[in-house]
Amino acid sequence: MTQKTDRTLYDMVGIGFGPSNLALAIAMEEQSASCGSMRALFLDKQEDYQWHGNTLVSQSDLQISFLKDLVSLRNPESPYSFINYLHKHQRLVNFINLGTLYPCRMEFNDYLRWAAGHFKSLCQYDQEVRAVEPIERNGIVEALRVVAQGKDGVEQCHETRSVVISTGGKPHIPEPFRHLGGNPKIFHHANYKPFVKALEITPAVPMRIAIIGGGQSAAEAFIDLNDCYPSVSVDWIIRGSSVKPSDDTPFVNEIFDPEFTDLIYRQDPSERARYIQEYQNTNYAVVDLALIERIYGIYYLQKVDGQARHRYRRLMEVVQAEAGSEGVSIELRNKASGEVCRDHYDAVILATGYDRDLRHELLSGLDQYLGEYTVGRDYRLQTDSRFKPAIYMQGFCELTHGLSDTLLSVLPYRSEEIATSLHNYLYHQYAPTEDNEMAIEAEKFE
């Protein structure tokens, strides 16, 4: 395997360039005038910038206000705001006329792509990070080696004094389906668009598809299949007794305020867990109320005209799944009656959420220095005295920082906190020299 070594010693390498690290790039640029500049690099495995690109369907809207963009809550005058994006694209008045706080996800993805375009000199795409390795000298880890690989098979090695990991969650595959990995008839919602396309659905050939899961992703997949593929019949299979609405009422929404992060972090682990459990219905296995009402209307009209195209199957637990050339066979157990049945589908969509483990697989080579994987209020992993570099985690700290950690709500504030902490930490760990006072050469806003 061909391997290349980047001779630059970076102050920070960001792993992933989604909204979290994009917000960080903006915060670092803003702080460079007052705190000094750093040499930074971001690596992303996608071929270009996309935010959940494989899930963006026509009936998919943002579930939080556009004002919770990359920067507005922290710096409303920033040129990287969603409002300025609309202005630059000559759509601000038109958006106002819509009378909504919630743009469609396609537009928000375009906004993020636009913002990321101003930092293209900092990001290398088509670079999947394979490992983060220690660089030791006299028993002390002085720096880190980030090993990335492109689709051409060439490995690139980058040396850095810190890393910020923001790779998002890993699609959760329920146990009954894990032995069927790689089967094109079973796919996670994260890969919805390309896999549905590969099914080659045609109007003339009826097809049965099962959607597993009771959250927003499942609902959006249902609506897309209903609206765009008339030959498809959908079984929506959920474990609960009903699909439930997300709670986005004003007082509850305050749990996503920056001050609530401080409140959560100050609690002991059991109290943190209680808060997270109390507010599960703001984010997990819940659906936007308007979407619920639309889907209920679809099922009701089926009763009116007597043609049951789709089925809503509640209190159903998947016991076993098998796949063959003809499709997927699922054994289901009714949680209320205990009755077991088996159904056959042409494809199965797993809208089953994501796993986010603070003990990130990329850090396995550093385990001896990371102890119990304790994360500070500034999102930095606590390391022992033999370890000088800094490691920050974005989107993996829900258990310590609250439910907002995996969402867009706190991006502006979190990015500023990490940028400030990073500047201070590196200043105290590494004596300032001409060698490490490097500039972030982002393309300036035009």
Side-chain angles (χ1 to χ4, degrees):
M1 179 183 294
T2 304
Q3 188 176 81
K4 298 180 180 179
T5 300
D6 184 348
R7 298 300 178 185
T8 303
L9 175 59
Y10 293 96
D11 290 304
M12 189 279 295
V13 169
I15 302 175
F17 201 49
S20 293
N21 269 349
L22 175 54
L24 177 61
I26 294 172
M28 292 172 68
E29 181 188 86
E30 290 180 347
Q31 289 190 5
S32 62
S34 59
C35 300
S37 55
M38 294 188 292
R39 175 166 286 183
L41 173 69
F42 295 91
L43 303 171
D44 196 280
K45 67 180 180 181
Q46 299 186 107
E47 294 184 9
D48 64 359
Y49 195 97
Q50 293 287 339
W51 178 61
H52 299 305
N54 289 333
T55 68
L56 296 176
V57 294
S58 59
Q59 295 293 326
S60 178
D61 292 335
L62 204 64
Q63 291 177 276
I64 65 172
S65 168
F66 70 86
L67 292 172
K68 292 187 174 182
D69 59 19
L70 295 168
V71 68
S72 291
L73 291 181
R74 174 174 54 80
N75 179 12
E77 298 178 339
S78 170
Y80 300 111
S81 71
F82 182 76
I83 287 179
N84 197 47
Y85 154 80
L86 291 172
H87 171 67
K88 291 295 182 180
H89 288 78
Q90 300 181 343
R91 293 203 306 271
L92 181 54
V93 172
N94 305 104
F95 183 83
I96 293 171
N97 289 340
L98 285 175
T100 182
L101 293 173
Y102 311 104
C104 69
R105 291 178 188 265
M106 287 184 182
E107 184 171 38
F108 205 75
N109 175 62
D110 191 61
Y111 156 65
L112 295 173
R113 285 172 57 85
W114 168 80
H118 294 87
F119 296 89
K120 58 187 177 182
S121 64
L122 292 182
C123 185
Q124 294 183 14
Y125 293 96
D126 184 27
Q127 292 292 303
E128 184 171 5
V129 175
R130 300 291 190 179
V132 178
E133 302 169 346
I135 300 175
E136 299 183 44
R137 185 183 301 121
N138 300 322
I140 301 295
V141 178
E142 294 285 346
L144 298 171
R145 181 182 297 107
V146 179
V147 182
Q149 185 180 45
K151 288 185 174 61
D152 59 4
V154 176
E155 277 192 352
Q156 294 268 7
C157 296
H158 309 275
E159 296 185 359
T160 179
R161 294 186 172 109
S162 68
V163 296
V164 180
I165 297 180
S166 181
T167 53
K170 182 178 180 180
H172 174 74
I173 308 299
E175 194 279 330
F177 296 96
R178 289 175 191 167
H179 68 292
L180 300 174
N183 189 298
K185 303 295 184 182
I186 302 170
F187 53 92
H188 193 274
H189 182 262
N191 301 306
Y192 176 80
K193 288 176 68 175
F195 275 80
V196 166
K197 183 178 180 180
L199 291 176
E200 298 182 342
I201 302 170
T202 63
V205 180
M207 184 174 287
R208 290 188 70 197
I209 295 179
I211 299 175
I212 311 294
Q216 184 73 16
S217 296
E220 291 179 1
F222 176 91
I223 284 292
D224 187 64
L225 292 173
N226 176 79
D227 291 358
C228 301
Y229 303 98
S231 62
V232 171
S233 298
V234 176
D235 275 16
W236 189 2
I237 301 170
I238 66 171
R239 290 184 300 175
S241 59
S242 71
V243 175
K244 297 178 181 179
S246 55
D247 188 344
D248 59 356
T249 51
F251 288 109
V252 168
N253 261 352
E254 289 188 343
I255 71 167
F256 302 119
D257 292 354
E259 295 82 4
F260 208 81
T261 302
D262 290 323
L263 185 151
I264 292 292
Y265 191 81
R266 288 195 299 264
Q267 310 305 310
D268 61 44
S270 62
E271 189 65 7
R272 289 173 184 164
R274 188 193 68 77
Y275 272 110
I276 291 170
Q277 182 61 40
E278 179 181 355
Y279 293 106
Q280 285 281 309
N281 63 345
T282 62
N283 189 45
Y284 292 111
V286 289
V287 181
D288 179 71
L289 178 58
L291 193 53
I292 289 177
E293 291 172 341
R294 176 154 183 237
I295 293 172
Y296 193 87
I298 291 170
Y299 281 112
Y300 179 77
L301 284 177
Q302 288 186 168
K303 293 183 178 181
V304 173
D305 64 20
Q307 296 184 21
R309 174 184 168 190
H310 307 304
R311 291 194 296 177
Y312 172 53
R313 309 191 67 184
R314 69 181 86 200
L315 292 170
M316 289 299 216
E317 184 175 43
V318 178
V319 178
Q320 187 181 38
E322 299 296 337
S325 58
E326 299 300 316
V328 184
S329 177
I330 300 179
E331 185 177 298
L332 298 166
R333 183 179 68 85
N334 187 299
K335 295 172 65 177
S337 66
E339 181 182 349
V340 175
C341 63
R342 182 172 289 273
D343 284 288
H344 182 85
Y345 298 97
D346 297 291
V348 175
I349 300 169
L350 302 175
T352 47
Y354 297 83
D355 296 322
R356 297 171 184 265
D357 189 356
L358 190 61
R359 291 181 176 271
H360 202 287
E361 57 189 7
L362 291 178
L363 301 178
S364 60
L366 306 175
D367 274 349
Q368 63 176 305
Y369 308 105
L370 302 181
E372 297 300 317
Y373 276 71
T374 303
V375 65
R377 173 62 183 83
D378 60 354
Y379 303 93
R380 181 173 60 84
L381 285 177
Q382 307 302 290
T383 57
D384 67 25
S385 59
R386 301 168 296 162
F387 194 91
K388 291 180 67 176
I391 300 173
Y392 292 85
M393 307 295 287
Q394 295 216 70
F396 297 91
C397 305
E398 182 180 281
L399 294 180
T400 52
H401 290 66
L403 286 163
S404 61
D405 187 67
T406 63
L407 307 177
L408 297 174
S409 299
V410 297
L411 291 191
Y413 295 99
R414 183 173 67 192
S415 61
E416 182 178 54
E417 290 170 358
I418 291 176
T420 300
S421 173
L422 184 57
H423 276 287
N424 294 338
Y425 185 83
L426 294 185
Y427 180 84
H428 288 97
Q429 283 290 83
Y430 301 94
T433 67
E434 182 180 343
D435 186 48
N436 71 1
E437 292 185 1
M438 304 295 185
I440 296 179
E441 297 178 353
E443 289 193 358
K444 297 303 179 183
F445 181 82
E446 297 178 356

